[in-house]
Amino acid sequence: MKKILILETSSTIQKLFTKALDGRDYSLQFENQGREIFSLLNKLSPDMFLINCDIVQPRSFEIVKIIRSIESFNGIQLAMYSNSLHPKDQLLAKECGCDFFFKLNPSNILQNIEELEEIERPGKEKQKKSREEKTFDQAFLFNKTAELLSRDAFKNAILSKLLKIVDNIENIEDVVKEYLDLLVQICEVPLASVIVNENDGPHGYYVCADCLEKKDIEDFLNVCSSDFEKNQAKGNALKINAKRLDSSMDLDGFYNGEIKFSSYECRAIKKKGNLLGTIHIVLQGNIISEKILLLDFCLENSADLFDKALIAEKKTFFEKRIRRAFSRFVPEQIIDNLVLQADKTDEKVGVGETRSVAILFSDIRSFTNISEKNRADVLVSFLNRYFSAMVEIIKKHGGTIDKFIGDAIMAEFGTPVSYEDNCRRAVMAAYEMREALPSIEMGDLVLPEGMVFNIGIGIHYGDVIVGSIGSKDKTDYSVIGDSVNLASRLEGLTKTYGSQILVSDSVRTDAGENSFCFRYLDDVRVKGKKKAVPIYAVDRGPDEFSAEYKDSYTKGMELYKQGIWNLAKDYFNKALKAANEDKAAKLMLDRCQEFIKNPPENWDGAIAFNTK
């Protein structure tokens, strides 16, 4: 008597089968739960298995695939049926390994069963004996079901795992570790590697079973490195040193020392034609097609993951580089804003651009004379204390230290991050730098007799070119342009006019005429410039110079610019009497006396300085 197991949820259809086969040499067993069918197949050892193609949870076609994947069930004659012969159902049934597909018709059930019975399964008797000797436990059936029950469900599980990896997107090594764990899990391999094109070049990572021979691992990694280079647009022969990562999987369970490695697979991870990296697996024996499909599915959904991880790494690398380059000379909040701006715009720092910036130059007065009086170690120690104090003030007001030039400091306000009040910040910093001089610890520094430690500061506001400037081996984030030169000239003119802080008219205008005590001094034409620039001293307060001095100096300048030097000198004499040590008034008086004797040609009220 032939045993037939039928998976059917409808009691009406069950009765149709019972009536059609009643009195025949068949023993029928019905089951309405798809997940129980595997245990019944093992328990009953039927000759035939029939299943309605409309069965769901799990789907009938997936059940057939599972049965055909279990070697001990291969001898079972398997048929699917439906109320209609739909071409799609017939095609799926054939692809899943079904022997026969028929339209359910009460008058033809017996005929269909007899046709199924005539279909011989390869090695049917051998398979039947094997099934009788094989003892299936629930764990085996559950694992096999979980593995093959629904490819779509398994793919969803892979996608879910990939999405969870995104949680660690800011750490490329963590991303690779979890990705490798996923690879070894779905492909059941004891050795896997990922090589990633990171910001500073390719980096290799791998996981492996503890029981593997060192030579097997080295040979595998060499092949991985070679295949990665083949995928590069411009490959090279450099060996990639791979880092072993700790796997959360028990990889020893995927390795049998008696079987040699014989299957190797490599895949390239690409995004819009760009190589992001490569994945590599190796296992013993022949790799089955199911694992290849899962590997390729995993690959298809990996490009976005690695692309995002590498973008995150580049931003992290950028932030570290910016902080390393600027942390000593730029306020922390500026670095934070710069990094945030890069995150939002994805722009790179270092690309040349024109920007309006306030440039500050400061210099220690008569430093050459000071250096002649002191040992080198004393000078260096003092300069370190002096620079530390000045840099702290500049950073406090949002400025950036561009460079140290001997005893001079060059700083910018407006780059790499610009504020609405860059000039005000620059003047505030200069003001505070001047006030901080008495607090600088002199230590063992010896000043020439009669000298008071002092500095000069020049500030100009104008357009400059900003960017990383230098050679391929060394670059500095800096500014260049005429505005830089003018700021440097203003610093030099502080000695001529006897003022510690000189600013250009553009600084005064941008900062606000009433924001500081700006005192007009002169119109100057510096070397290399045709246009005259009004310059201003920054006084400590409105009472630093008397009203009599200011009135006399202002009237003297009005006459001086008109070329009426004989009257102008009288006002400068009055200004000098009100402030007898003022170098600016003395300078203007001397000019008037000289111009009375030797009038300059084409006088336009501006004096030219042809030295730096």
Side-chain angles (χ1 to χ4, degrees), residues 122-403:
K124 181 176 180 180
E125 293 301 318
K126 182 179 178 180
Q127 296 295 340
K128 183 176 179 181
K129 181 179 179 182
S130 173
R131 186 171 70 248
E132 291 172 350
E133 294 174 350
K134 178 74 174 180
T135 300
F136 286 95
D137 57 26
Q138 291 297 325
F140 171 82
L141 291 173
F142 176 80
N143 289 336
K144 200 64 181 179
T145 302
E147 179 184 352
L148 297 170
L149 185 58
S150 172
R151 181 176 295 173
D152 291 339
F154 198 68
K155 287 180 178 179
N156 289 337
I158 293 175
L159 289 175
S160 176
K161 179 68 173 178
L162 290 172
L163 288 174
K164 288 182 179 178
I165 296 178
V166 176
D167 293 340
N168 296 318
I169 202 72
E170 294 184 356
N171 189 314
I172 189 70
E173 190 170 307
D174 288 344
V175 169
V176 172
K177 178 182 179 300
E178 293 192 42
Y179 187 77
L180 282 170
D181 276 350
L182 178 61
L183 280 183
V184 298
Q185 182 181 17
I186 64 175
C187 297
E188 297 182 344
V189 294
L191 183 55
S193 173
V194 170
I195 299 177
V196 187
N197 252 332
E198 297 186 38
N199 194 65
D200 55 347
H203 286 246
Y205 306 91
Y206 71 99
V207 292
C208 67
D210 294 330
C211 56
L212 291 181
E213 296 289 337
K214 183 178 179 181
K215 186 178 184 306
D216 289 336
I217 299 174
E218 291 177 348
D219 290 345
F220 169 72
L221 294 177
N222 287 336
V223 173
C224 295
S225 179
S226 176
D227 281 350
F228 174 82
E229 296 300 342
K230 290 177 183 177
N231 281 283
Q232 289 273 59
K234 295 181 179 179
N236 57 65
L238 294 177
K239 182 179 179 181
I240 300 170
N241 294 318
K243 178 180 180 180
R244 180 177 179 180
L245 303 177
D246 293 329
S247 176
S248 60
M249 304 296 297
D250 180 16
L251 303 186
D252 288 341
F254 300 142
Y255 179 74
N256 182 343
E258 298 177 358
I259 305 175
K260 292 185 176 295
F261 287 120
S262 57
S263 295
Y264 165 81
E265 295 290 331
C266 170
R267 298 288 188 275
I269 308 171
K270 293 185 177 181
K271 177 79 171 181
K272 295 181 179 178
N274 296 321
L275 181 69
L276 305 180
T278 51
I279 59 177
H280 314 260
I281 61 171
V282 66
L283 77 166
Q284 300 165 295
N286 296 322
I287 190 167
I288 64 174
S289 59
E290 183 76 19
K291 292 180 180 179
I292 290 291
L293 291 174
L294 292 175
L295 174 66
D296 289 339
F297 178 79
C298 188
L299 173 70
E300 290 170 7
N301 295 276
S302 301
D304 285 338
L305 171 67
F306 279 95
D307 186 49
K308 288 179 172 59
L310 289 171
I311 289 174
E313 187 198 40
K314 286 179 181 179
K315 289 184 176 179
T316 301
F317 179 84
F318 165 81
E319 179 176 349
K320 289 180 179 178
R321 185 179 63 178
I322 291 298
R323 292 191 185 279
R324 183 170 59 249
F326 293 152
S327 60
R328 292 173 58 198
F329 311 124
V330 180
E332 194 68 27
Q333 63 268 27
I334 284 187
I335 300 177
D336 292 340
N337 290 340
L338 182 62
V339 171
L340 180 62
Q341 177 183 344
D343 282 343
K344 290 180 178 179
T345 64
D346 223 18
E347 294 177 355
K348 294 183 179 179
V349 170
V351 177
E353 61 172 316
T354 300
R355 189 183 291 186
S356 295
V357 173
I359 304 102
L360 180 152
F361 273 89
S362 75
D363 188 57
I364 297 175
R365 289 287 157 261
S366 302
F367 188 73
T368 301
N369 294 336
I370 295 174
S371 63
E372 291 174 351
K373 292 280 186 179
N374 293 273
R375 301 192 314 271
D377 60 325
V378 173
L379 282 173
V380 170
S381 179
F382 168 74
L383 282 176
N384 285 337
R385 293 193 299 273
Y386 165 74
F387 284 145
S388 295
M390 297 297 106
V391 166
E392 189 64 31
I393 293 170
I394 292 170
K395 288 173 62 177
K396 171 184 172 182
H397 293 284
T400 300
I401 303 300
D402 188 298
K403 59 177 67 70

Side-chain angles (χ1 to χ4, degrees), residues 483-497:
S483 292
V484 178
N485 299 330
L486 181 52
S488 177
R489 302 292 189 274
L490 290 177
E491 180 276 314
L493 290 176
T494 57
K495 291 176 283 188
T496 303
Y497 288 88

Side-chain angles (χ1 to χ4, degrees), residues 95-139:
E95 288 182 349
C96 292
C98 186
D99 297 313
F100 189 70
F101 191 97
F102 61 92
K103 180 180 179 180
L104 186 61
N105 189 325
S107 61
N108 294 330
I109 288 179
L110 177 59
Q111 180 183 343
N112 291 324
I113 295 298
E114 289 174 344
E115 289 181 18
L116 175 62
E117 189 176 7
E118 291 177 0
I119 298 174
E120 286 291 326
R121 292 290 303 168
K124 181 176 180 180
E125 293 301 318
K126 182 179 178 180
Q127 296 295 340
K128 183 176 179 181
K129 181 179 179 182
S130 173
R131 186 171 70 248
E132 291 172 350
E133 294 174 350
K134 178 74 174 180
T135 300
F136 286 95
D137 57 26
Q138 291 297 325

